[in-house]
Short mmCIF file of all heavy atoms in Angstrom, two decimals:
data_model
loop_
_atom_site.label_atom_id
_atom_site.label_comp_id
_atom_site.label_asym_id
_atom_site.label_seq_id
_atom_site.Cartn_x
_atom_site.Cartn_y
_atom_site.Cartn_z
N LEU A 457 -9.00 8.53 6.62
CA LEU A 457 -9.09 9.99 6.42
C LEU A 457 -10.51 10.39 5.98
O LEU A 457 -10.99 11.45 6.32
CB LEU A 457 -8.06 10.43 5.41
CG LEU A 457 -6.59 10.38 5.92
CD1 LEU A 457 -5.63 10.63 4.74
CD2 LEU A 457 -6.33 11.37 7.04
N ALA A 467 -8.72 17.13 9.86
CA ALA A 467 -8.27 17.06 8.47
C ALA A 467 -7.38 18.26 8.07
O ALA A 467 -6.46 18.09 7.26
CB ALA A 467 -9.47 16.98 7.51
N VAL A 470 -3.68 17.65 9.85
CA VAL A 470 -2.95 16.38 9.68
C VAL A 470 -1.84 16.47 8.64
O VAL A 470 -1.98 17.15 7.62
CB VAL A 470 -3.96 15.25 9.33
CG1 VAL A 470 -4.48 15.36 7.92
CG2 VAL A 470 -3.29 13.87 9.50
N VAL A 472 0.35 13.45 6.83
CA VAL A 472 0.44 11.98 6.74
C VAL A 472 1.88 11.57 6.45
O VAL A 472 2.53 12.13 5.56
CB VAL A 472 -0.50 11.43 5.67
CG1 VAL A 472 -0.34 9.94 5.48
CG2 VAL A 472 -1.97 11.78 6.05
N LEU A 489 -3.68 7.34 -2.71
CA LEU A 489 -3.83 8.52 -1.87
C LEU A 489 -3.78 9.83 -2.65
O LEU A 489 -4.05 10.88 -2.07
CB LEU A 489 -2.72 8.53 -0.82
CG LEU A 489 -2.94 7.46 0.27
CD1 LEU A 489 -1.60 7.04 0.91
CD2 LEU A 489 -3.87 7.98 1.35
N LEU A 492 -6.48 12.56 -2.28
CA LEU A 492 -6.72 13.20 -0.95
C LEU A 492 -5.95 14.53 -0.87
O LEU A 492 -4.79 14.58 -1.29
CB LEU A 492 -6.30 12.27 0.16
CG LEU A 492 -6.99 10.93 0.17
CD1 LEU A 492 -6.37 10.01 1.21
CD2 LEU A 492 -8.50 11.12 0.42
N LYS A 493 -6.59 15.48 -0.32
CA LYS A 493 -5.96 16.82 -0.28
C LYS A 493 -5.26 16.99 1.08
O LYS A 493 -5.55 17.89 1.82
CB LYS A 493 -7.02 17.91 -0.44
CG LYS A 493 -7.86 17.73 -1.67
CD LYS A 493 -7.65 18.85 -2.68
CE LYS A 493 -8.33 18.62 -4.00
NZ LYS A 493 -8.50 17.25 -4.45
N VAL A 494 -4.31 16.11 1.38
CA VAL A 494 -3.54 16.27 2.60
C VAL A 494 -2.04 16.08 2.24
O VAL A 494 -1.71 15.37 1.32
CB VAL A 494 -3.89 15.25 3.68
CG1 VAL A 494 -5.27 15.50 4.27
CG2 VAL A 494 -3.81 13.82 3.17
N PRO A 495 -1.15 16.76 2.98
CA PRO A 495 0.30 16.54 2.72
C PRO A 495 0.72 15.14 3.13
O PRO A 495 0.36 14.68 4.19
CB PRO A 495 0.98 17.63 3.59
CG PRO A 495 -0.02 18.13 4.52
CD PRO A 495 -1.41 17.73 4.05
N ILE A 496 1.45 14.46 2.21
CA ILE A 496 1.90 13.10 2.47
C ILE A 496 3.38 12.97 2.19
O ILE A 496 3.85 13.47 1.16
CB ILE A 496 1.16 12.08 1.55
CG1 ILE A 496 -0.35 12.25 1.69
CG2 ILE A 496 1.55 10.66 1.89
CD1 ILE A 496 -1.15 11.36 0.77
#
Side-chain angles (χ1 to χ4, degrees):
L457 290 172
V470 72
V472 174
L489 290 154
L492 302 174
K493 306 245 172 330
V494 291
I496 305 176

